[in-house]
Each structure stands twice: as C-alpha cells, then as structure tokens.
Amino acid sequence: MTLQMAHSNTALAVANPWAMVPSLGNLDAYISAANRMPMLTLEEEQDFSRKFKNDNDLDAAGKLVLSHLRLVVSIARQYLGYGLPHGDLIQEGNVGLMKAVKRFDPDQGVRLVSYAMHWIKAEIHEYILKNWRMVKVATTKAQRKLFFNLRSMKQRYKSDDAAADAGTHRETLNADQVEAMARELKVKPEEVIEMETRLSGGDVVLDPGPADDGEDSFGPVTYLTDTSHEPIAMIEAHQRDILATDGIATALDSLDPRSRRIVEERWLKVNDDSSGGMTLHDLAAEYGVSAERIRQIEVAAMKKMKASLAQYA
C-alpha cells in the first residue's frame, strides 16, 4: 500500500511540478521537495505577478511562492549559528516570502528574487531577536546591524590572528579591531563593546526545576519573587501598622496614669542620645517605692495592654 502511494505521489509530481508531495515527513524531505520546484523565467514571473496584482489570482501567487522556496532554505541556512531550529527559520522566512509576493510590483524592473531577499531576511532577523534571548539584545536599527555582523566579523578577525600567530586564540576583540569594526559598521566603538558583552553573556535558567537526584534546585526565580506585594503579606503588614498606632494608643488609654507613665518611660521613650527612658531605680525614687514595686506595676500594665491589644485586633 505504501509503495503504491509513493508511485502515486511520484506520478503526481511528474504530472504537476507545482504539487508539493504530501506527507513530507521531515525537514530533509521538505528541503528536497522545495529544491524540485520549477524556477520561473522572467516572462512567467511577470505574468503570474500581474495576475495576482490585477486579478487577485491566488494560484498565480502560490506559484510565485513555491518557485522561491529554495531561496528561503538557502537564506535560513546562513542563520544556523544562533542555535535556533532550521525548520523554524525556514518557516519565518516563508512568511517574509509571502509578504514580498504580496507587495511585489512586476513593473519596477527587478526580479522577485532580489526583492524577496530583504523581506525574508527581515522576518528571520525579527524571529532571532525575539527568541535568541529572553532579554532583547538589539532594539535600534544600528544595534540590529551590529548584532548580525558582529559574529561573522569576529570570525574573520580570528582567522587573521591565526594566520599571524598560530598559537594565538583570542575570544574578545582588541582595541584596534573594535575601532575597525566601528568604522565599517558606522557605529560608536562603545556600541561594539556593549554588543559583544551582551552576546558573550550566557543565558540563565530562571527556574531549573527538580535536580537529577530528586532534590529541589534553586534558580533566580527563587529569590527574584517580591513577597512584599503578596496579598497575605500586605494584609499582615497593614494589621501590624494598625496595632502599632491605634492599637497601642487604645491600650495605653486603658492604664491608670502611674502605670502609663512607667510603660512610656520604660518602653516608648527615646532620648536624644538614643538611650531609653528612666530606669526602675529612677522611677522608684520618683514615686517613693522600691524598684521591685515599679517592676511589678510594669508587669501588670504590660499584661493589661496585651489583653487590650488582643481585643482590639
């Protein structure tokens, strides 16, 4: 049955070279099918473009896209060094190709391949910048140009170093190379250094998940969480503020004048030299009683305040 389907698909491809073989299976099969798509002559390209532009002929637009799939595959292969899947790069490039076909004007005197390259690269660039790192490494036009040229230019400088000295292997750019790169790309040397620093910094996993031995592992997400704004923590903090102000005032009002003064002098008063209020002996001398009696009054007052605070809460 499978052999019959294969013969059927082959016959279909021979009969109609524009028919993509169904059930391609994997990326290699897709690339092989894309490379088998017919290439258009100038007359065919202009004819299909005018049909799509003037009559919204989607079949003509499809042929324009299919005939340039190999171009997308070729361009996407140039960006494999960023660690992103080749299939995803091709997919994004295909989006750029379709945008190019939609905007292409056959009367401008250029071939679609020249026009589409810009759109394909732009879409792949956007995908890389969004997915290569969680934090965007390039936002301005100059930074994007620097991002996509820095890697290749560093490789060129490494090759020059190797030719000059086989024992030299430099990972970072020296001052002369930074200056040369800045002049070539028309950016400031500081921008070259900053971009190299961004690219050389490794990604950090925020939440590493459980370790291999089953123990909990801790990543930055563990200590980046702002617990001060959790609802429960905010409610508890609000309650503490109320008890520290209105609650203490209410509890002090429940004491007799002598007990209140003893509590205030012992616990609530701070002098200019950051020392506390009066000592037990100072208060004992003032009221004409023993220091032990002052301590007993203090203990009783604190118990009464504690009961008042509990009732207030």
Side-chain angles (χ1 to χ4, degrees):
M1 184 66 178
T2 304
L3 185 60
Q4 292 177 348
M5 290 179 62
H7 283 306
S8 176
N9 291 337
T10 303
L12 178 62
V14 172
N16 182 9
W18 297 105
M20 291 289 288
V21 180
S23 304
L24 294 177
N26 57 41
L27 181 60
D28 291 336
Y30 170 84
I31 294 175
S32 177
N35 288 332
R36 290 198 302 269
M37 289 292 108
M39 298 184 68
L40 301 178
T41 64
L42 175 60
E43 293 74 17
E44 290 174 330
E45 181 180 292
Q46 291 183 338
D47 180 53
F48 290 144
S49 299
R50 290 190 176 93
K51 285 182 179 179
F52 175 56
K53 181 181 178 181
N54 300 327
D55 305 325
N56 197 30
D57 188 336
L58 298 183
D59 182 61
K63 291 178 180 179
L64 289 171
V65 171
L66 291 174
S67 64
H68 289 80
L69 291 180
R70 72 184 71 206
L71 173 65
V72 176
V73 172
S74 176
I75 294 176
R77 191 177 290 114
Q78 302 171 16
Y79 296 93
L80 291 177
Y82 295 97
L84 296 171
H86 191 192
D88 291 351
L89 294 171
I90 292 175
Q91 177 175 285
E92 296 301 319
N94 286 340
V95 173
L97 173 60
M98 288 185 283
K99 289 182 177 180
V101 169
K102 183 178 180 180
R103 295 166 172 80
F104 181 62
D105 185 354
D107 298 322
Q108 291 296 320
V110 297
R111 293 296 300 266
L112 177 58
V113 62
S114 301
Y115 182 77
M117 286 181 66
H118 164 77
W119 288 93
I120 295 169
K121 289 183 177 181
E123 208 68 27
I124 293 178
H125 287 187
E126 191 70 23
Y127 170 74
I128 292 174
L129 291 173
K130 286 182 178 179
N131 293 274
W132 193 62
R133 291 279 173 87
M134 288 184 66
V135 179
K136 289 185 177 180
V137 293
T139 54
T140 66
K141 184 177 180 180
Q143 288 176 339
R144 290 178 179 223
K145 182 179 180 181
L146 182 56
F147 177 88
F148 286 106
N149 284 277
L150 182 60
R151 183 188 298 269
S152 60
M153 295 182 74
K154 284 185 67 175
Q155 292 297 326
R156 187 207 311 166
Y157 290 142
K158 285 182 181 179
S159 299
D160 294 342
D161 287 343
D165 185 355
T168 301
H169 181 71
R170 186 181 295 111
E171 291 295 332
T172 58
L173 299 171
N174 59 37
D176 293 337
Q177 292 170 343
V178 169
E179 290 289 343
M181 186 178 294
R183 286 195 303 270
E184 185 172 342
L185 297 177
K186 295 181 175 59
V187 296
K188 297 179 181 178
E190 294 79 10
E191 293 180 289
V192 175
I193 296 173
E194 181 183 359
M195 184 59 69
E196 185 187 18
T197 303
R198 293 184 186 184
L199 295 179
S200 61
D203 290 330
V204 177
V205 179
L206 288 179
D207 188 3
D212 295 336
D213 56 4
E215 297 292 332
D216 291 336
S217 56
F218 297 94
V221 71
T222 306
Y223 51 82
L224 286 178
T225 304
D226 185 6
T227 57
S228 62
H229 288 84
E230 292 181 354
I232 296 178
M234 294 179 67
I235 293 173
E236 291 177 348
H238 181 63
Q239 290 177 339
R240 286 195 298 270
D241 291 341
I242 293 177
L243 287 176
T245 53
D246 298 344
I248 293 295
T250 301
L252 287 172
D253 289 340
S254 67
L255 302 177
D256 61 84
R258 184 174 65 172
S259 298
R260 175 167 181 162
R261 183 160 186 272
I262 290 174
V263 171
E264 288 178 339
E265 287 289 343
R266 293 280 292 148
W267 294 95
L268 301 178
K269 189 173 182 180
V270 179
N271 293 329
D272 294 338
D273 58 359
S274 299
S275 62
M278 299 174 68
T279 65
L280 291 175
H281 293 284
D282 293 336
L283 290 167
E286 179 178 332
Y287 286 107
V289 295
S290 65
E292 176 61 21
R293 178 56 186 157
I294 295 297
R295 189 191 68 79
Q296 293 173 355
I297 295 173
E298 178 187 353
V299 170
M302 295 296 286
K303 287 182 179 179
K304 189 172 184 179
M305 288 184 64
K306 185 176 180 180
S308 177
L309 286 172
Q311 184 178 3
Y312 185 85

